[in-house]
Amino acid sequence: MNPSKSSSKMKNKKIAGSSDERETIMDSPITAPVPVENSKEPSNFVAPIVSCFNDRIRPLIDVVDKLRHLNIMKEGIQLPTIVVVGDQSSGKSSVLESLAGISLPRGQGICTRVPLIMRLQQHSAPKTELRLEFNGKSIVTDESHVSEAINVATEELAGHGKGISNTPLTLEVRKNGVPDLTMVDLPGITRVPVHGQPENIYDQIKDIIMEYITPEQSIILNVLSATVDFTTCESIRMSQVVDKTGERTLAVVTKADRAPEGLMEKVTADDVNIGLGYVCVRNRIGEESYEDARREEARIFESHQLLSKIDKSIVGIPVLAQKLVQIQATSIAKNLPDIVRSINEKLSENLSELNKLPKNLTSNAEAVTAFMRIIISAKETLRKILLRGEFDEYLDDKNMHCTARLVEMLNRYSEKLNQFSENDSGRNFLMEELSILEESKTIGLPNFLPRTAFLVLLQRKVKAVSSLPIGFVETIWNYLENVLTAVLTKHSSNYHQLQLSTKRAGHVLIAKMKKRSLERVMEFVEMEKLTDYTCNPEYGTERNKLISQQESFVKQVFGSSAPKIMIKGYGEVEVGELRQYEYLLPQAYDLRMTMTAYWKIVQKRLVDCMALHLEYSIKKLIDEELASEIVNEILGPGGVGIEKMLEEAPNLSLKRDKLNRSIGRLRESKEVVANILDRIATFVGC
Ligand code: GDP
Ligand code: MG
């Protein structure tokens, strides 16, 4: 079909229009008179429909189309869109065809299986330019092939069967005489699936339609066949759900030629709340040419006995085109300021979110810097919580108030040591000492306390408590491991690989430190077993106090039959069995009391040296070992290497990519709207 071929035939039917009339398009009421034609067209130009081109509207439509092309809707920004809905075979595609003057897949059964975005653009060159865009592809076609090209594209998007898809297909029609309009043709509503259609086809189609017509910015072009009762139309029901008052719904009544009876009454009665009004049309039938179709349409509404009675302001494709252009312009003008605002808001939201994301490392130098920063800050945190007792980074996390927790652990350990020595101090009094003395008998002068007896007793006692310091070391390092892991995780949280490596390094380091501590503690224990020494004067004082009661104790044991005797500074003891050990008793008493005085020293030493060792180890861990362990884990043999650090955590890089895409889209959109901001201002004033 070539419009220019038939243009001479139509020459005399051209409707005159002044440029002043065009300027007032925006202000004209919705039921505008038959539209005007652009006076810039060549004099022999006859459009398949009248041209409604308006210099002021066009750039705005272009902006919206560009925004649509940029997929701005993905950012949740709705664009003013004319959405064509209708029951199956109501004539949706035929209406679009009539508006565009091109062939679309038409006919019985489901033909439109994907949303078809149709961009009609007036251009003055005689040659029509058609382009299909889908799945990132752009395919140039022509009028004789467009129908087939749409079918091929539909098959690619929605498969070969009769299924549907929500991936849109864009058809750009640049043609002399078309109205500047962008519309979306949607699959027709079908109640009963035909052979080969999925069972839930109705729901699928309904979902797509709802998605398109729900936004306030959408204009619903409801296509109704004159042959049906409008109140039974599914498409009416759907549009009424989202647009109760019908303020954004326009009805196109097709097939006026097939059911002229009562049509006028139907559209004037308006039983179905169509706020933007009705337009009755007659589309192309069969292989008729567009010019013939328009002529025939004009003829029937002019001369048909019933159809001619319908007001001329609501009949014919040119009127429909005019109305749509006007509605579209009003809607764009109304919505663009909000769109511009949303674009700016979304852009700054996304930018600040992106800024909050950790910087992506792009070079080894950056990675090393980040790495050093992490180590320095982790060390500083550790110093604060483990050595200085500053908890500002973990105000509410008591587990990380480490100095306090460490003192608590040390106190518990000390208490356990105490409890151990207090056990059984009164029962079986001196029995152990007596048996040791029996075994340490040598040929020599009596009344000397044999040192070996004392050492044997000491070794036994130290051995009995040795599990306590070892257990304490275990507890402390397990706790420190949790603390260290928490601190390292926190500081390396932005660098996935580094996080893994530092955690591993932390684990290895703690294991090493724990091993070293255990060795040291066992040494402490061995040292205590080996030598009995202290320079602490408390020992002497304590011992003297206890030993001074020896004589009176021995006298009491043998001079009375009391089962228990009180020793000052020691406690009450059972003495019943002691009466048989007359000879060894004074020595046994001395042994016990020397040990009692000395054990207090040992006990304190086991706590004190543990505390000092702990502080020393923690400081060494932070100041020396930590950094070298992490460096070794990353850079040493078998390490992952600094390059690995450049890899982001998968979820982080996904998020960053998404944000960057979004920002790119919004920036481009911002540029697109920036150029027409002043025009919007003029429109808003209209
Ligand atoms: P869709 O399923 O809503 O897209 O409907 P189509 O545009 O494919 O049209 C369905 C059938 O109705 C086709 O055979 C068209 O030729 C026919 N049709 C559409 N509009 C008219 C009209 O105004 N008059 C007549 N007589 N037939 C029409
Ligand atoms: Mg269709």
Side-chain angles (χ1 to χ4, degrees):
M1 211 293 305
N2 183 351
S4 56
K5 223 168 73 187
S6 53
S7 55
S8 57
K9 280 193 262 169
M10 299 281 288
K11 209 174 187 175
N12 298 329
K13 294 200 173 182
K14 212 166 74 173
I15 307 155
S18 74
S19 55
D20 291 338
E21 282 174 79
R22 283 199 314 279
E23 286 301 310
T24 56
I25 277 178
M26 290 300 300
D27 302 314
S28 52
I30 276 178
T31 49
V34 176
V36 292
E37 185 190 315
N38 192 330
S39 57
K40 282 184 205 146
E41 300 303 340
S43 59
N44 66 345
F45 167 79
V46 172
I49 56 162
V50 75
S51 167
C52 304
F53 181 75
N54 183 312
D55 285 344
R56 287 167 66 204
I57 300 170
R58 174 65 175 271
L60 297 193
I61 304 169
D62 283 349
V63 163
V64 173
D65 284 338
K66 275 184 197 153
L67 294 178
R68 198 185 311 279
H69 188 74
L70 284 171
N71 250 332
I72 195 73
M73 276 146 128
K74 276 200 177 158
E75 304 303 326
I77 296 174
Q78 297 298 342
L79 295 174
T81 307
I82 297 172
V83 186
V84 185
V85 296
D87 293 6
Q88 202 177 357
S89 295
S90 57
K92 295 178 299 301
S93 302
S94 302
V95 167
L96 290 174
E97 227 179 35
S98 301
L99 289 167
I102 53 150
S103 295
L104 290 175
R106 236 185 357 165
Q108 296 299 316
I110 187 167
C111 293
T112 310
R113 299 194 288 132
V114 298
L116 173 71
I117 301 171
M118 226 172 55
R119 298 183 59 195
L120 304 183
Q121 279 190 314
Q122 156 66 17
H123 85 161
S124 41
K127 194 170 176 294
T128 301
E129 289 171 19
L130 296 177
R131 204 150 49 98
L132 268 184
E133 285 176 13
F134 62 100
N135 276 354
K137 283 186 235 174
S138 178
I139 291 168
V140 174
T141 177
D142 58 35
E143 285 185 68
S144 47
H145 295 101
V146 63
S147 192
E148 191 191 330
I150 290 177
N151 278 334
V152 171
T154 302
E155 289 197 351
E156 189 174 322
L157 295 173
H160 293 281
K162 292 184 172 155
I164 58 159
S165 157
N166 196 7
T167 315
L169 173 66
T170 303
L171 172 64
E172 194 178 271
V173 181
R174 292 156 69 85
K175 184 169 171 161
N176 195 351
V178 296
D180 282 289
L181 274 177
T182 299
M183 293 165 291
V184 186
D185 183 18
L186 295 178
I189 306 157
T190 120
R191 260 289 172 202
V192 189
V194 296
H195 181 69
Q197 277 180 349
E199 276 303 307
N200 65 346
I201 188 85
Y202 173 78
D203 293 324
Q204 282 190 30
I205 295 176
K206 190 179 166 192
D207 288 349
I208 297 181
I209 293 177
M210 282 316 219
E211 183 189 321
Y212 275 87
I213 64 174
T214 303
E216 289 285 304
Q217 293 81 355
S218 295
I219 301 296
I220 306 167
L221 185 63
N222 217 321
V223 180
L224 308 167
S225 165
T227 58
V228 303
D229 177 0
F230 298 165
T231 54
T232 64
C233 284
E234 278 289 329
S235 64
I236 289 281
R237 275 186 221 166
M238 284 190 191
S239 70
Q240 279 179 343
V241 172
V242 293
D243 181 29
K244 283 196 181 52
T245 56
E247 60 181 348
R248 51 188 180 92
T249 305
L250 174 71
V252 186
V253 183
T254 61
K255 309 187 192 177
D257 55 313
R258 287 186 40 200
E261 295 82 20
L263 180 56
M264 191 171 80
E265 290 70 27
K266 262 169 137 176
V267 297
T268 39
D270 186 21
D271 291 332
V272 287
N273 269 347
I274 302 290
L276 295 177
Y278 294 79
V279 180
C280 304
V281 299
R282 180 236 182 239
N283 291 310
R284 192 169 72 104
I285 299 170
E287 293 310 308
E288 211 175 31
S289 79
Y290 294 96
E291 294 72 24
D292 290 346
R294 290 292 69 77
R295 254 197 307 274
E296 186 54 21
E297 180 183 63
R299 195 190 62 74
I300 60 164
F301 285 116
E302 195 64 52
S303 53
H304 187 279
Q305 190 202 347
L306 295 168
L307 297 178
S308 62
K309 297 215 170 77
I310 305 175
D311 194 308
K312 293 291 168 288
S313 67
I314 60 162
V315 294
I317 287 292
V319 167
L320 176 65
Q322 161 71 16
K323 280 199 176 190
L324 286 175
V325 166
Q326 187 195 323
I327 290 168
Q328 175 182 250
T330 314
S331 169
I332 290 178
K334 192 173 115 200
N335 288 303
L336 260 184
D338 278 344
I339 292 172
V340 175
R341 202 172 314 122
S342 306
I343 289 173
N344 288 334
E345 276 170 18
K346 287 254 148 87
L347 184 59
S348 59
E349 251 171 51
N350 283 355
L351 280 172
S352 80
E353 201 173 328
L354 185 71
N355 276 341
K356 271 187 233 146
L357 288 187
K359 218 170 139 262
N360 195 13
L361 304 174
T362 52
S363 67
N364 281 3
E366 272 181 16
V368 172
T369 314
F371 176 57
M372 278 163 53
R373 226 184 6 246
I374 288 166
I375 291 189
I376 290 169
S377 54
K379 278 169 70 168
E380 177 55 15
T381 304
L382 288 170
R383 257 185 221 116
K384 275 161 108 179
I385 59 175
L386 284 167
L387 300 174
R388 300 206 297 264
E390 294 166 12
F391 309 128
D392 53 307
E393 287 177 46
Y394 298 95
L395 282 179
D396 299 319
D397 187 354
K398 287 206 159 173
N399 195 44
M400 300 300 274
H401 299 182
C402 305
T403 43
R405 299 295 84 78
L406 287 174
V407 170
E408 275 170 15
M409 285 183 228
L410 198 64
N411 286 343
R412 268 201 300 278
Y413 160 65
S414 172
E415 274 164 31
K416 276 190 197 160
L417 273 177
N418 266 336
Q419 278 163 13
F420 173 84
S421 3
E422 277 161 15
N423 277 352
D424 297 332
S425 60
R427 258 189 293 144
N428 297 326
F429 184 63
L430 300 186
M431 296 316 281
E432 193 184 2
E433 285 77 4
L434 287 166
S435 86
I436 290 174
L437 286 170
E438 289 277 9
E439 296 311 305
S440 333
K441 279 187 286 201
T442 51
I443 299 168
L445 287 173
N447 295 335
F448 280 102
L449 187 61
R451 187 149 179 271
T452 46
F454 183 77
L455 283 179
V456 168
L457 191 61
L458 180 65
Q459 279 161 9
R460 276 194 192 169
K461 271 181 92 83
V462 173
K463 194 168 168 228
V465 296
S466 62
S467 68
L468 291 177
I470 290 169
F472 173 66
V473 164
E474 293 271 355
T475 315
I476 287 281
W477 285 108
N478 290 347
Y479 169 72
L480 288 174
E481 177 160 16
N482 288 339
V483 170
L484 184 64
T485 309
V487 170
L488 291 175
T489 306
K490 181 180 139 185
H491 286 279
S492 60
S493 65
N494 294 336
Y495 305 99
H496 176 64
Q497 283 299 338
L498 187 64
Q499 193 168 51
L500 298 179
S501 298
T502 51
K503 267 192 196 170
R504 253 194 320 270
H507 188 73
V508 171
L509 179 59
I510 292 285
K512 258 192 214 168
M513 301 296 286
K514 190 194 266 184
K515 186 166 170 271
R516 222 180 289 163
S517 271
L518 280 174
E519 283 166 7
R520 179 52 46 91
V521 166
M522 283 191 230
E523 246 173 52
F524 289 153
V525 172
E526 287 311 308
M527 275 150 48
E528 293 297 347
K529 280 187 195 164
L530 189 73
T531 315
D532 47 341
Y533 174 76
T534 179
C535 66
N536 192 337
E538 256 180 47
Y539 161 73
T541 325
E542 174 84 9
R543 182 173 179 274
N544 289 344
K545 211 162 69 193
L546 295 168
I547 296 275
S548 64
Q549 300 173 63
Q550 189 221 61
E551 247 186 78
S552 75
F553 172 76
V554 175
K555 263 189 203 151
Q556 277 184 65
V557 171
F558 295 107
S560 78
S561 58
K564 287 181 178 176
I565 291 174
M566 186 67 192
I567 302 171
K568 254 196 279 165
Y570 185 90
E572 197 168 58
V573 296
E574 291 173 359
V575 294
E577 287 187 46
L578 296 180
R579 298 196 167 100
Q580 45 187 309
Y581 296 98
E582 189 182 355
Y583 169 65
L584 282 177
L585 194 60
Q587 264 189 32
Y589 181 90
D590 282 6
L591 191 54
R592 164 60 70 104
M593 293 310 156
T594 308
M595 181 55 78
T596 302
Y598 184 61
W599 189 246
K600 282 190 180 154
I601 301 292
V602 171
Q603 209 175 292
K604 277 189 191 132
R605 213 155 41 198
L606 280 178
V607 176
D608 287 352
C609 65
M610 285 301 275
L612 297 187
H613 166 72
L614 206 64
E615 282 290 288
Y616 174 77
S617 302
I618 290 174
K619 192 162 162 24
K620 204 164 154 64
L621 178 147
I622 300 172
D623 288 349
E624 294 168 29
E625 316 264 342
L626 183 65
S628 58
E629 192 63 51
I630 297 176
V631 168
N632 191 45
E633 179 68 37
I634 292 171
L635 301 177
V640 288
I642 203 87
E643 304 79 31
K644 265 277 185 188
M645 266 185 66
L646 305 179
E647 281 176 25
E648 281 198 306
N651 58 347
L652 200 65
S653 65
L654 276 182
K655 192 169 177 191
R656 186 193 304 280
D657 286 353
K658 199 169 154 235
L659 276 174
N660 274 328
R661 265 200 307 278
S662 195
I663 288 170
R665 210 166 13 225
L666 288 162
R667 278 213 173 110
E668 275 188 69
S669 304
K670 197 176 163 169
E671 261 169 47
V672 167
V673 292
N675 300 327
I676 49 102
L677 274 178
D678 48 338
R679 286 171 208 260
I680 299 172
T682 346
F683 267 114
V684 174
C686 284

